[in-house]
Amino acid sequence: MPMYTVTTNKPMAIAKRQELARVIMNIHCGLTHAPKTFVNVVYSQNVSLQNGIAINVLGNVRKGRTPEMNGQLTKDMHEGVASFLNISLNLVELSLFEVNASWVMEGGNILPEPGEEDDCEWLQEESGA
């Protein structure tokens, strides 16, 4: 968690998918300060997208951040994906869906609420802090 599902209307080379995943991770973690190990990106290719859209990104993110932060995350992610792919913003469809942290497990552990990562014992042990 977060889980970003990237759907494209054309195939994307593995190296480009890997780099896009890094772009998504860096934008998400740069703004939310979530651990990089939390970010997951999955791809679906050759899907017919509506209205001439070239790429759809659906981000399932932990609930509990401010509307302003989610708005900034949406804006930065939208612009970052378009810039990386060198396409117009109107060819990128992006939306965030909030999920309660208590509904998600990472490595068998329930995720902490946003902002509570430093108080999470299992996460601190995992990172060696």
Side-chain angles (χ1 to χ4, degrees), residues 12 15 18 23 32 44 47 59-60 75 78 82 87 93 96 105 108 117-118 121 123 125-126:
M12 187 182 299
Q18 290 171 332
V23 167
T32 68
S44 180
V47 176
N60 290 298
K75 178 183 180 295
H78 191 215
I87 61 175
E93 186 174 60
L96 297 182
M105 295 184 84
E117 294 87 358
D118 290 343
E121 188 175 310
L123 186 56
E125 290 171 3
E126 192 175 272

Side-chain angles (χ1 to χ4, degrees), residues 30-75:
L31 185 63
T32 68
H33 305 289
K36 289 182 176 184
T37 58
F38 280 9
V39 180
N40 297 281
V41 180
V42 297
Y43 290 91
S44 180
Q45 302 181 106
N46 296 322
V47 176
S48 179
L49 298 171
Q50 295 181 358
N51 302 323
I53 298 296
I55 186 167
N56 175 283
V57 180
L58 173 62
N60 290 298
V61 299
R62 287 182 290 165
K63 188 175 185 176
R65 296 190 175 92
T66 65
E68 293 79 18
M69 181 178 280
N70 282 338
Q72 189 66 51
L73 180 58
T74 300
K75 178 183 180 295

Side-chain angles (χ1 to χ4, degrees), residues 90-107:
N90 65 342
L91 298 178
V92 178
E93 186 174 60
L94 187 132
S95 50
L96 297 182
F97 178 74
E98 293 183 298
V99 177
N100 292 326
S102 62
W103 294 359
V104 181
M105 295 184 84
E106 187 80 28

